[in-house]
């Protein structure tokens, strides 16, 4: 509505006695240049429905005066985010109910939206009446009476800082939210994982110092599954520990990876999956480094207040809290201040409110059972003005030691949006580059910094600092339905000067999709780069990773008929012992085996672009170790054309090293076959199996793409066959086979010890990510009746009803032979439509 007309309407309504006026509208809490506000304005202008009153009445006080000047007796206005935080308007049980609708983790984005919308209530009383019970005012959430920025503490020794954007990036490059950043051995920065333009990422952007290229050998490998909300902690010895994260909000991850030197290796998992936890490096009593972890959320959405410590000599250990515990929270900020002392601040509590908590902690690890003492310090901030006090407690902020002191960067606060000059504040100043133990009591102060270029959106970012500068990597947010705002690349915060200079430059050659050992092929990166040009529904869904504690858990999962990666199962000594050398010794180098030998990486069963070759097992292992394109799928040692493969019978020398855990009791009791699979750098053809199966990865890494049974019409599987010639790992797969763009792929990357459950009829293809991949595949009957009678060596003979149906179709088609062709076609198409309709009913 035109502003003048709206003001007239407001004044007209005030002419009535005993009137109430409620208004829900946009406003600018920190000005029109805030990234969310800019995105919102541009959205409505693009729709040719520009916002009008927001420019005339940009602030809450403007809106209140708008109504008071129009004749209303009173007017109160508060942002939706402020109302969310107020128990008088939003009880805890209502806030908590959000997670019962669906798992939710877009809190910063919700805060930005709710902070740019307000609810206003204006009241006109009857003559002689003084008030009304309808009000938005709550004493606990009234804005500060101080004028903005009055009485703020500033450090006289803090110089002006400049915040400089990245250079040299192309459009859509450097876009990552909720990733993690670490420093490489060569001094470059690696920005890993996070949410990209269209999906979660497992690739890494590399930023080099001063634009000088370096050879990178320590980029996180692509077998680390795509994730967000994980931590990467750089240790004092230059190593790095990657911990947890999540795929979807209801699928937390527990895997941990250590970069030792230039090599990454998977280490002990967390005791429970975690994401949005906080982590910091600590110096242990023995002088070595450890990583302290607090809080976070689990797969079930439970908010934790558990402390964990990782020590290389013993792995993960729970830390006992002495005295009062910190409030459960996620998205908090934590750092060590000296040796085994540190601070924890903010986060979001289990009642979905930003936590107004600050704790100092002291760690003791000189015994087998580490302990931690915690002291609550929030009351020591009471002297601060309201706007600075609100800026101290945040969700999704980062704590980092910089050349000027300890900085708190970004995130969202309770009740209101952070003004630009308070998005980065100091908590502890550094004088002469030193700090003391008693300085762990915070002394908040304002940082005087200036931004070159557009204001970044400090949400979903991550930070790293050294003696030269502080790097703020990535970030941005989905701004409701208005669009997504991205921070591109790295912003550098450094001491001021007449000509400040960006010191980090995106390395286009070694950036997105860079690889390091143990990866041997680039398929994963090629697909990652191509995803931007693929149809949205062709972006794979990450197969969830879960833990099952009982056979009943697995049975319930089986009934859902969805693929999952099972973690934490004990498969026996095979995951450590079955190296190429040990396999040669145990199986026997002279044992004769039949292998698929291919000329191309992609093997095609329909076109038979491979040969069956008989050779010794030792020769086979040696050749694939050198990169030869070969694949062994074990057969029965006796009567291989009549009997399914069974590891215990066919390879008894290996059978003692492999076992199905008790959680998979149902698999063992209904097992059909258990072939051994050993492959070189080849891609298995796309196919489906009629029987359910579990693929137990023993050695090496493997990437799989799966398609649900409903996608069979898009996969070009010929009638009566169970395999397709489509190479789903080809970046041009949807160009070569356009129907594949209508499919709904699922994706998993398996490492040693992972078990992938593949439901019946889920088409799948696999590619090795190293020269050698070793797995045991156990097929089992998951339905009681319907299997075809007779011989079924490979477990992929179609169900009896389908085999009979194909014969019936031939008979039906033949019955129309005597009719004119057009009439025959007419009735066959009608029958086909009826079959299609019946299929849809079965899938409803």
């Amino acid at each position: 509505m035109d502003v003048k007309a709206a003001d007239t309407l407001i004044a007209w309504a005030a002419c009535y006695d005993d009137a109430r006026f409620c208004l829900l509208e946009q406003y600018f809490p920190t000005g029109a240049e805030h990234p969310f506000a800019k995105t919102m304005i541009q959205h409505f202008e693009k729709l040719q429905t520009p916002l009008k009153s927001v420019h005339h009445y940009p602030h809450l006080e403007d809106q209140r005066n708008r109504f008071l000047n129009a004749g209303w007796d009173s007017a109160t206005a508060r942002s939706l985010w402020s109302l969310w935080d107020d128990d008088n308007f939003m009880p805890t049980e209502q806030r908590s109910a959000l997670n019962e609708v669906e798992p939710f983790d877009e809190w910063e984005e919700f805060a930005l939206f709710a902070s740019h919308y307000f609810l206003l209530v204006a009241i006109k009383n009857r003559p002689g009446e003084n008030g009304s019970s309808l009000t938005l005012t709550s004493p606990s959430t009234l804005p500060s009476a101080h004028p903005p920025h009055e009485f703020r503490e500033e450090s006289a020794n803090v110089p002006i800082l400049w915040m400089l954007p990245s250079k040299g990036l192309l459009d859509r490059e450097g876009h990552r939210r909720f990733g993690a950043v670490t420093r490489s051995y060569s001094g470059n920065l690696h920005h890993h994982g996070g949410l990209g333009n269209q999906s979660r990422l497992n690739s890494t952007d590399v930023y080099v110092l001063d634009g000088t290229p370096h050879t990178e050998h320590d980029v996180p490998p692509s077998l680390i599954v795509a994730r967000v909300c994980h931590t990467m902690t750089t240790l004092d010895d230059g190593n790095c520990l990657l911990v947890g994260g999540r795929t979807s909000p209801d699928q937390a991850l527990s895997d941990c990876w250590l970069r030792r030197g230039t090599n990454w290796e998977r280490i002990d998992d967390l005791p429970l999956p975690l994401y949005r936890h906080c982590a910091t490096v600590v110096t242990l009593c023995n002088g070595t480094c450890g990583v302290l972890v607090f809080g976070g959320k689990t797969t079930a959405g439970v908010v934790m207040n558990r402390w964990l410590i990782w020590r290389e000599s013993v792995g993960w250990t729970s830390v006992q809290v002495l005295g009062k515990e910190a409030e459960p929270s996620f998205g908090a900020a934590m750092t060590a201040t000296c040796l085994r002392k540190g601070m924890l601040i903010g986060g979001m509590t289990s009642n979905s409110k930003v936590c107004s908590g600050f704790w100092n902690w002291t760690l003791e690890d000189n015994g087998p059972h580490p302990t931690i003492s915690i002291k609550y310090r929030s009351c020591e901030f009471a002297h601060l003005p309201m706007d600075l006090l609100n800026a101290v407690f945040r969700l999704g902020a980062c704590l980092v030691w910089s050349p000027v002191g300890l900085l708190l960067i970004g995130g969202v606060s309770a009740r209101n949006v952070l003004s630009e000059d308070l998005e980065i504040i100091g908590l502890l100043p550094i004088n002469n580059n030193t700090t003391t133990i008693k300085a762990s009591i915070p002394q908040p102060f304002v940082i005087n910094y200036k931004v070159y270029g557009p204001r970044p959106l400090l949400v979903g970012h991550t930070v790293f600092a050294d003696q030269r500068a502080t790097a703020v990597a990535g970030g941005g947010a989905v701004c409701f339905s208005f669009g997504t705002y991205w921070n591109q690349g790295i912003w550098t915060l450094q001491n001021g000067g007449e000509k400040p200079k960006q010191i980090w430059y995106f390395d286009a050659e070694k950036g997105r999709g860079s690889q390091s050992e143990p990866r041997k092929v680039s398929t994963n990166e090629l697909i990652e780069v191509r995803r931007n040009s693929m149809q949205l529904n062709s972006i794979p869904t990450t197969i969830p990773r879960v833990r099952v504690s009982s056979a009943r858990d697995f049975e319930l999962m089986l009934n859902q008929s969805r693929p999952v990666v099972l973690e934490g199962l004990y498969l026996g000594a095979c995951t450590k012992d079955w190296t190429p050398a040990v396999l040669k010794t145990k199986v026997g180098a002279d044992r004769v085996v039949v292998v698929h030998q291919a000329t191309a990486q992609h093997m095609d069963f329909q076109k038979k672009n491979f040969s069956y070759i008989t050779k010794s097992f030792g020769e086979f292992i040696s050749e694939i170790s050198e990169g030869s394109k070969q694949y062994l799928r074990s057969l029965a040692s006796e009567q291989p054309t009549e009997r399914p493969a069974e590891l215990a019978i066919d390879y008894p020398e290996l059978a003692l090293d492999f076992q199905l855990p008790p959680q998979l009791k149902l698999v063992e009791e209904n097992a059909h076959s258990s072939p051994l699979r050993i492959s070189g750098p080849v891609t298995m053809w796309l196919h489906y199996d009629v029987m359910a199966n579990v693929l137990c990865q023993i050695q090496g890494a493997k990437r799989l793409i799966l398609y649900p049974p409903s996608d069979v019409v898009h996969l070009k599987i010929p009638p009566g066959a169970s395999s397709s010639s489509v190479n789903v790992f080809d970046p041009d797969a949807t160009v070569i086979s356009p129907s594949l763009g209508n499919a709904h792929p699922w994706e998993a990357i398996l490492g040693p010890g992972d078990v992938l459950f593949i439901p019946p009829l889920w088409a799948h293809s696999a590619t090795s990510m190293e020269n050698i991949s070793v797995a045991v595949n156990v097929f089992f009957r998951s339905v009681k009746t319907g299997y075809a009678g007779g011989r079924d060596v490979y477990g992929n003979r179609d169900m009896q009803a389908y085999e009979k149906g194909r014969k019936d179709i031939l008979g039906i088609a033949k019955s129309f032979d005597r009719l004119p062709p057009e009439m025959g076609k007419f009735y066959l198409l009608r029958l086909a439509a009826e079959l299609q309709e019946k299929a849809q009913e079965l899938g409803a």
Side-chain angles (χ1 to χ4, degrees), residues 188-504:
N188 299 331
L189 293 186
H190 293 165
H191 191 191
H192 172 264
L195 188 64
N197 291 307
Q198 292 184 318
S199 63
R200 291 180 292 272
L201 306 172
N202 69 340
S203 56
T204 303
D205 285 345
V206 175
Y207 295 87
V208 297
L209 268 173
D210 297 321
T212 303
H214 291 269
T215 301
E216 295 295 323
H217 298 291
D218 52 354
V219 177
S222 63
L223 61 86
I224 300 178
V225 68
R227 66 191 63 210
V228 299
C229 303
H230 54 302
T231 57
M232 295 177 74
T233 306
T234 302
L235 309 180
D236 290 347
D237 55 8
N239 294 333
C240 174
L241 183 67
L242 184 155
V243 177
R246 69 167 175 84
T247 53
S248 60
D250 60 347
Q251 294 297 333
L253 301 171
S254 60
D255 57 324
C256 301
W257 300 77
L258 177 66
R259 187 191 68 202
R260 184 183 286 110
T262 59
N263 297 316
W264 285 87
E265 59 180 285
R266 185 167 178 176
I267 59 171
D268 295 335
D269 287 358
L270 288 164
L272 74 167
L274 285 177
Y275 67 94
R276 303 207 77 172
H277 52 282
C278 49
T280 187
V281 62
V282 290
T283 302
L284 305 174
C285 289
N286 61 8
T288 61
C289 290
V291 174
L292 184 67
V293 166
F294 171 78
K297 296 182 76 172
T298 67
T299 291
V302 178
V303 181
M304 306 297 295
N305 67 341
R306 184 175 180 181
W307 295 82
L308 300 168
I309 188 169
W310 176 83
R311 296 169 288 183
E312 188 167 3
S313 58
V314 296
W316 289 104
T317 308
S318 292
V319 182
Q320 180 184 357
V321 178
L322 302 179
K324 187 177 181 180
E325 297 190 1
E327 191 171 4
S329 66
F330 63 91
M334 181 171 69
T335 188
T337 53
C338 58
L339 293 178
R340 290 168 295 283
K341 294 178 181 287
M343 60 177 65
L344 171 72
I345 189 167
M348 179 166 276
T349 63
S350 55
N351 66 0
S352 303
K353 296 174 67 173
V354 175
C355 178
S356 298
F358 183 98
W359 296 268
N360 282 133
W361 50 263
T362 302
L363 175 71
E364 294 295 339
D365 72 302
N366 53 2
H369 305 293
T371 62
I372 196 166
S373 302
I374 301 170
K375 186 171 182 179
Y376 184 72
R377 295 282 194 181
S378 296
C379 56
E380 300 184 24
F381 294 145
H383 68 286
L384 296 176
M386 185 64 73
D387 58 345
L388 185 54
L389 177 62
N390 286 338
V392 171
F393 306 110
R394 313 179 181 189
L395 164 69
C398 297
L399 274 175
V400 62
W401 287 99
S402 77
V404 301
L406 181 62
L407 302 182
L408 184 66
I409 300 177
V412 297
S413 67
R415 306 187 184 100
N416 58 343
V417 171
L418 293 167
S419 59
E420 183 173 9
D421 60 336
L422 290 179
E423 281 195 299
I424 302 176
I425 63 173
L427 290 185
L428 289 175
I430 290 182
N431 297 317
N432 299 322
N433 295 321
T434 62
T435 186
T436 61
I437 292 178
K438 67 179 181 179
S440 60
I441 300 175
Q443 308 159 32
F445 58 93
V446 175
I447 295 292
N448 186 6
Y449 73 96
K450 298 182 179 179
V451 177
Y452 267 51
R455 177 181 175 182
L457 183 53
L458 297 182
V459 164
H461 60 295
T462 181
V463 300
F464 183 88
D466 60 16
Q467 68 276 10
R468 299 184 60 177
T470 299
V472 181
V478 175
C479 302
F480 190 47
S481 61
F482 309 139
T484 302
Y485 189 97
W486 293 96
N487 300 335
Q488 193 170 27
I490 281 181
W491 287 72
T492 300
L493 192 66
Q494 60 182 262
N495 289 354
E498 293 184 1
K499 295 182 178 180
K501 177 186 177 184
Q502 171 64 275
I503 63 174
W504 305 106

Side-chain angles (χ1 to χ4, degrees), residues 760-771:
L761 306 181
W762 277 69
H764 51 281
S765 179
T767 186
S768 296
M769 301 179 71
E770 302 183 41
N771 278 356

